[in-house]
Amino acid sequence: MPSKSSDESFSNLCQLFRLLSDKTRLQIAMLLAKGERNVTSLCKELNLPQPTVSHHLGLLRMNKVIINKRKGKPVIYAL
């Protein structure tokens, strides 16, 4: 019988896979794996509007897949 911590780990992993099963979120994660980026550069690379990219960044951030930090005015995102 699996332990409670093992069940929790599987649940967390399932949640991560569900989150990354979206093409846009997976693309964002892959781009951020290559280095930090701001929303503007992600929009250009993904050819998507800013609200769409910001929505996906918010979901990734809320689920602790990415972090954000402010460098002056722009916000920089990283894995």
Side-chain angles (χ1 to χ4, degrees):
M1 175 161 266
S3 71
K4 186 170 181 154
S5 65
S6 167
D7 280 348
E8 215 172 285
S9 294
F10 281 123
S11 291
N12 290 341
L13 197 53
C14 286
Q15 184 178 350
L16 176 63
F17 285 146
R18 268 194 301 274
L19 189 67
L20 294 178
S21 70
D22 179 89
K23 179 184 171 190
T24 301
R25 289 192 289 272
L26 183 58
Q27 287 177 309
I28 289 171
M30 298 296 286
L31 288 169
L32 293 177
K34 296 177 185 177
E36 299 177 341
R37 288 178 169 63
N38 63 22
V39 177
T40 305
S41 69
L42 288 169
C43 291
K44 286 179 185 174
E45 291 181 76
L46 298 168
N47 197 29
L48 291 171
Q50 181 269 325
T52 301
V53 174
S54 291
H55 168 75
H56 290 291
L57 287 169
L59 291 171
L60 291 167
R61 194 177 69 248
M62 284 189 311
N63 287 279
K64 296 179 170 75
V65 175
I66 64 172
I67 59 169
N68 65 315
K69 55 188 172 185
R70 192 169 287 281
K71 282 190 178 176
K73 189 168 176 127
V75 176
I76 305 299
Y77 292 91
L79 283 180

